[in-house]
Amino acid sequence: MKLLIIANRLPLKVARNKENQFEFSRSEGGLTTGLDSLETDLEKHWVGWPGAVMDSNEEEEQVREHLEEFNFHPVFLSEEQLHLHYEGFSNSTLWPLCHYFNVYTEHNSDYWRGYLEVNRLFCEVALQFVEEGDIVWVQDYQLMLLPKMIRQDGPANINIGYFHHIPFPTYELFRVLPQRSELVSGLLGADLIGFHTHDYMRHFVSACERILDLRFVLDHVTLNDRIAYADVFPMGINYTLYNDSPLLPEVQEMSLKLKDHYGDNKLILSVDRLDYSKGILHRLKGFRRFLELYPEYHGKVSLVMIIVPSRDQVDSYSELKNKIDETIGGINGEYSLLNWIPVHYFYHSFPFNELVAMYHIADMALVTPLRDGMNLVAKEYVAARRDNPGVLILSEMAGAAIELSDALIINPYDVEQVASTIHEALEMPEEEQLRRMSLMRRKIAKRTVNHWAQKFINQLLTIRQNNENSNSEQIDGHVLNNIHTAYKAASRRLIVLDYDGTLMGFKRRPEDAFPTESLRAILSKLAVDPFNKVVISSGRDHQTLESWLGDLDLSMAAEHGAYYKEAGEWVRNIPEEKPWNDEITQILHEFTDRTPKSMIEEKETTLVWHYRNVDAWLATLREQQLVETLIEPCSRQGLQIMRGNKIVEIKSPNHTKGSEARRLIAMDNYDFVMAMGDDTTDEDMFRALPESAFTIKVGRMSQVARFNLSSQPKVLSFLKALMA
Ligand code: GDG
């Protein structure tokens, strides 16, 4: 079994030196280093872009050969593909949108074309290596279409995971994307979709429900072929690396030099990539306000601001850079003393050891993004301080704020709060600093990047187990042959068919789901065979079934067996009076009034609340509220509450599709029994039938049925094939 990690970048990057020769170096960033050092028994492979555009096939071959030694499989991209996919759709559409910068979101169909094309290229490379039984783990927003592509074109028996490293925004923002449906469908190709926080997961679930009309039950959604899960896995850092590095002689030396350089000044450190989401300008405003409010700290506190150049060929980034330069110039111009500079500004990256030395000596870290998926800098600072005092000021908009609740949490837009919190941090007693730092250290020492990856992969393996345990076998050519053979060999056949969702698809109005001519023709042909007893077993009322199918030679069961029809006669199977009283009807009416597009259906033996057309979020809320409200009166009146496919039913517990199936089985000595249904109520029927019965769940997976037919439109051709 292999683990194939697919990320935009490989852990090794290639660049040309002055002599135009290739040089390979480690890619920076928490993700690649973290995942590359992942301890696992699985054989690890990577697929990703190698970091440079190749000029010829020979160059590609040369780079490929070197990378393949490490099981790194390069995806080569042209300048245009990089522009459209990476700078375009990934960083000018998805990135701003997911970070709530809607004004920067560009909608450009060429970007989308490039995004599709590059996702497809990644898929093609991945498929050269992925085999049955492998685990595929796709990383981040540059590859949101990939899980579905691999699911469709890859081997059947693989597990696919996806991790979203940036925020997943609220549906109200995500819905503006013209490609919203393709993007969420792309992610649902995965078995497990991971996020840093429960808020991002909640937004993703809501987007799936609203855009694709799916229904999640807590953390999972049942799709046609499998169950997909969403979950929260906050990413950690390589704790030992950051905690141990300050002890390295070269880092100690660097730390001493820096301390010497900055003297007695208290140091506030900030480290970011150049990005509008990082809140750099707001932070500078906060620091300026601090200097205004607390002149006693002039000459005693400096902000060391490290900004790593990034995307500065994009207009919005170069504008940001100019504004930062101006603002820092303004602060330093106004407040500098002969022997003191308020802001030390570095617009370049530092070697790892120097960065760790800065972390190690800084008295405070000021991490104030306006939005950030997680933010690893905050965690790295805490680890690198070792057991020294220190204060972390952290934005509530960073995913890290959920775990690092012992930081001083601020709203980065609140300039006054930033200023007063810097002051609070400077005045914080050392004991309090030590207490908070130690609490945070304990958390990040445990939840490392390795732990994060292990948890994700273990969860993926558990899901594999769950999906395998579901005993439904897909009806393909081979299975169909077996059922067909058994059908042909039999002479006393019982065939029980659910109606809605099985023989007919759902309609917005239940009365519109009347049988088509082709359905009637198939049922008629099935019923005319003297070896067959064909029963329509439905939750519908008997009048409707009679008016739609009464002229055919079928047996029927209506309202879950409260009525049945044998030899042309309808029989009422339960007492005359309605099993519920006004109290229940009133509750249902109240809920219908408060829930636009919901409705009540009152049958003789069942009361049904339909919410098929209700807004997904409201439907979930009201369904739960209704069931909760009904529990007490229904148990008092000996009634059963059943949750069906976008309905809640209230009925007597004495008759179900299960009791009807038992009645049918007892009628004869059948040598072929087959039942088909799509709903949870049909599972009662599957359970009641003998083990040898061909129980077939339509549409969704089932823990009970032996077989699965992936969608309702396939039912009629299946029945036709059976009779052929
Ligand atoms: C995305 C999400 C999420 C920074 N300056 C230097 C340097 N760095 C390293 C840091 C840290 C990394 O870069 C930055 O990580 P972040 O998490 O802060 O931010 P993104 O790169 O935007 O990452 C983010 C992350 O994915 C993981 O899921 O946390 O929210 O946006 O590791 O140390 N490294 C060196 N020199 C520098 O000057 N060597």
Side-chain angles (χ1 to χ4, degrees):
M1 199 199 307
K2 288 200 297 294
L3 168 64
L4 199 75
I5 298 168
I6 312 183
N8 192 47
R9 299 291 288 263
L10 288 171
L12 262 192
K13 64 178 179 191
V14 56
R16 290 170 206 273
N17 63 17
K18 283 187 194 123
E19 289 79 48
N20 206 25
Q21 278 167 338
F22 290 128
E23 269 176 7
F24 293 87
S25 59
R26 312 272 328 152
S27 302
E28 311 83 21
L31 173 70
T32 39
T33 39
L35 276 180
D36 198 32
S37 58
L38 171 69
E39 294 148 21
T40 168
D41 297 337
L42 305 168
E43 183 186 317
K44 228 181 330 162
H45 287 247
W46 284 78
V47 172
W49 183 58
V53 174
M54 302 292 119
D55 286 340
S56 63
N57 289 347
E58 291 70 38
E59 285 191 351
E60 285 187 5
E61 266 325 297
Q62 187 191 339
V63 168
R64 193 195 319 274
E65 206 172 293
H66 181 80
L67 292 172
E68 296 279 347
E69 277 177 41
F70 307 92
N71 283 340
F72 296 160
H73 310 296
V75 181
F76 295 109
L77 301 175
S78 67
E79 291 286 1
E80 197 202 5
Q81 283 165 337
L82 281 172
H83 170 66
L84 297 177
H85 166 260
Y86 186 67
E87 285 151 29
F89 199 77
S90 300
N91 288 338
S92 303
T93 308
L94 287 174
W95 176 276
L97 192 86
C98 288
H99 287 86
Y100 292 76
F101 285 88
N102 194 21
V103 279
Y104 292 143
T105 307
E106 290 177 33
H107 298 280
N108 176 329
S109 50
D110 286 337
Y111 287 176
W112 173 245
R113 181 175 53 74
Y115 190 77
L116 264 170
E117 192 177 307
V118 170
N119 272 256
R120 174 61 58 204
L121 280 175
F122 270 74
C123 179
E124 282 166 14
V125 174
L127 291 187
Q128 293 167 21
F129 302 95
V130 64
E131 292 168 307
E132 287 255 336
D134 283 351
I135 293 190
V136 177
W137 190 7
V138 180
Q139 305 291 332
D140 225 0
Y141 65 104
Q142 300 92 352
L143 301 171
M144 289 172 82
L145 304 177
L146 197 53
K148 183 173 174 187
M149 288 178 175
I150 297 179
R151 171 77 54 204
Q152 278 177 343
D153 297 346
N157 186 17
I158 54 171
N159 277 86
I160 306 175
Y162 169 87
F163 195 85
H164 198 69
H165 287 265
I166 63 174
F168 197 99
T170 158
Y171 166 72
E172 287 306 325
L173 209 52
F174 195 75
R175 71 190 297 187
V176 307
L177 277 177
Q179 305 82 6
R180 59 197 180 183
S181 163
E182 288 90 330
L183 290 165
V184 280
S185 309
L187 295 189
L188 284 171
D191 299 302
L192 175 61
I193 300 125
F195 301 92
H196 285 305
T197 75
H198 57 269
D199 278 329
Y200 310 153
M201 167 180 165
R202 181 165 66 83
H203 293 149
F204 168 71
V205 167
S206 149
C208 291
E209 295 198 328
R210 282 156 193 271
I211 296 166
L212 302 177
D213 199 22
L214 291 170
R215 195 65 202 287
F216 268 73
V217 178
L218 306 174
D219 60 348
H220 63 273
V221 57
T222 308
L223 304 170
N224 289 346
D225 53 344
R226 78 212 134 78
I227 300 175
Y229 291 76
D231 215 335
V232 176
F233 304 85
M235 186 175 163
I237 57 165
N238 183 340
Y239 177 79
T240 324
L241 178 71
Y242 284 91
N243 196 241
D244 288 356
S245 297
L247 301 180
L248 296 173
E250 57 272 31
V251 177
Q252 284 189 335
E253 197 181 316
M254 177 62 61
S255 302
L256 283 177
K257 260 194 212 158
L258 288 169
K259 272 192 187 153
D260 199 38
H261 176 71
Y262 291 113
D264 286 340
N265 249 334
K266 290 269 179 199
L267 290 187
I268 306 176
L269 177 65
S270 85
V271 180
D272 314 88
R273 226 171 12 79
L274 177 72
D275 201 286
Y276 42 78
S277 66
K278 301 290 181 185
I280 300 170
L281 285 172
H282 291 73
R283 188 181 312 153
L284 285 168
K285 273 193 203 159
F287 185 64
R288 176 193 273 271
R289 185 73 182 132
F290 162 78
L291 294 175
E292 262 167 37
L293 289 175
Y294 306 99
E296 66 274 24
Y297 275 102
H298 292 189
K300 295 182 183 150
V301 179
S302 290
L303 172 63
V304 177
M305 197 165 227
I306 299 176
I307 300 181
V308 180
S310 155
R311 307 175 197 170
D312 45 11
Q313 64 283 23
V314 176
D315 286 351
S316 51
Y317 285 73
S318 58
E319 272 168 36
L320 175 65
K321 162 82 170 52
N322 292 339
K323 279 194 193 145
I324 293 172
D325 293 354
E326 258 172 46
T327 314
I328 294 178
I331 297 175
N332 283 346
E334 192 174 338
Y335 291 98
S336 287
L337 303 174
L338 283 177
N339 58 351
W340 174 69
I341 300 174
V343 185
H344 297 272
Y345 171 39
F346 304 92
Y347 185 64
H348 58 81
S349 68
F350 282 86
F352 176 78
N353 282 347
E354 291 183 19
L355 180 72
V356 172
M358 280 307 302
Y359 280 149
H360 187 60
I361 63 149
D363 300 283
M364 189 191 308
L366 190 54
V367 182
T368 60
L370 302 177
R371 286 283 159 181
D372 213 336
M374 170 54 75
N375 193 296
L376 301 177
V377 166
K379 295 185 172 184
E380 292 165 1
Y381 169 70
V382 173
R385 276 300 274 175
R386 299 185 55 79
D387 48 8
N388 293 307
V391 185
L392 171 65
I393 299 182
L394 180 58
S395 159
E396 65 181 59
M397 311 290 177
I402 292 177
E403 289 168 283
L404 302 182
S405 50
D406 295 291
L408 295 181
I409 305 289
I410 51 100
N411 172 356
Y413 290 90
D414 186 343
V415 171
E416 298 297 327
Q417 194 194 18
V418 173
S420 64
T421 310
I422 294 175
H423 183 250
E424 183 188 342
L426 289 166
E427 303 271 313
M428 188 184 278
E430 208 173 284
E431 247 171 61
E432 175 69 359
Q433 295 187 25
L434 289 169
R435 189 186 68 80
R436 288 172 180 257
M437 288 295 270
S438 123
L439 287 170
M440 291 191 281
R441 222 168 34 241
R442 236 180 282 163
K443 280 186 198 159
I444 56 175
K446 213 164 81 190
R447 300 182 201 156
T448 60
V449 64
N450 209 34
H451 173 260
W452 166 79
Q454 296 282 11
K455 276 203 92 162
F456 188 94
I457 290 166
N458 288 346
Q459 178 99 348
L460 204 48
L461 290 171
T462 311
I463 292 171
R464 166 184 294 204
Q465 203 67 44
N466 289 350
N467 274 335
E468 273 171 11
N469 285 352
S470 141
N471 46 12
S472 309
E473 197 178 345
Q474 282 292 331
I475 297 190
D476 55 13
H478 159 74
V479 176
L480 177 61
N481 261 345
N482 290 349
I483 305 178
H484 185 253
T485 311
Y487 179 89
K488 287 291 169 192
S491 56
R492 299 195 85 74
R493 308 182 192 116
L494 173 65
I495 298 166
V496 192
L497 303 169
D498 164 51
Y499 187 82
D500 292 283
T502 301
L503 295 176
M504 280 299 294
F506 288 103
K507 296 280 182 319
R508 287 186 78 80
R509 299 184 324 155
E511 58 270 35
D512 292 340
F514 48 80
T516 57
E517 273 318 304
S518 56
L519 169 61
R520 285 175 50 83
I522 288 171
L523 290 177
S524 166
K525 190 170 171 202
L526 207 55
V528 111
D529 185 330
F531 290 175
N532 288 352
K533 178 179 177 67
V534 184
V535 186
I536 307 298
S537 182
S538 167
R540 285 206 182 240
D541 64 73
H542 70 284
Q543 290 92 342
T544 306
L545 289 184
E546 183 61 25
S547 69
W548 285 351
L549 299 165
D551 57 327
L552 303 180
D553 191 13
L554 297 164
S555 294
M556 291 197 254
E559 302 185 30
H560 305 284
Y563 281 84
Y564 61 82
K565 183 184 182 187
E566 291 291 357
E569 289 296 324
W570 280 100
V571 178
R572 187 177 166 115
N573 208 5
I574 53 156
E576 275 302 322
E577 71 277 6
K578 284 192 172 126
W580 59 85
N581 64 13
D582 287 351
E583 186 187 0
I584 307 278
T585 341
Q586 219 169 350
I587 293 173
L588 253 63
H589 278 291
E590 272 167 29
F591 271 82
T592 310
D593 284 347
R594 291 165 59 204
T595 316
K597 300 188 187 162
S598 69
M599 61 179 198
I600 302 174
E601 184 188 1
E602 188 164 348
K603 297 187 261 191
E604 281 185 43
T605 61
T606 320
L607 205 49
V608 191
W609 189 67
H610 290 261
Y611 59 87
R612 172 161 307 280
N613 304 323
V614 176
D615 167 83
W617 181 83
L618 186 62
T620 311
L621 174 75
R622 290 286 188 259
E623 195 248 17
Q624 287 178 19
Q625 289 176 321
L626 176 62
V627 171
E628 196 134 304
T629 316
L630 286 171
I631 286 173
E632 198 277 322
C634 283
S635 74
R636 211 174 343 105
Q637 294 177 41
L639 293 167
Q640 184 187 22
I641 306 166
M642 293 200 317
R643 297 170 126 148
N645 192 328
K646 310 224 168 162
I647 52 171
V648 175
E649 295 194 55
I650 298 140
K651 59 185 262 305
S652 149
N654 300 334
H655 56 95
T656 63
K657 285 194 175 181
S659 62
E660 172 60 13
R662 279 190 289 278
R663 189 188 69 78
L664 290 165
I665 277 288
M667 286 177 73
D668 205 338
N669 219 349
Y670 302 103
D671 54 3
F672 176 93
V673 177
M674 185 180 90
M676 298 181 81
D678 71 303
D679 197 357
T680 39
T681 58
D682 297 309
E683 307 234 323
D684 288 341
M685 156 168 89
F686 299 149
R687 275 191 206 95
L689 292 173
E691 264 181 32
S692 59
F694 295 95
T695 47
I696 303 172
K697 178 88 178 225
V698 177
R700 306 281 145 107
M701 299 271 289
S702 161
Q703 299 294 325
V704 190
R706 284 175 62 200
F707 302 98
N708 173 258
L709 198 58
S710 59
S711 68
Q712 186 279 327
K714 293 186 178 164
V715 172
L716 296 197
S717 41
F718 167 77
L719 291 174
K720 266 192 210 160
L722 204 59
M723 291 185 281

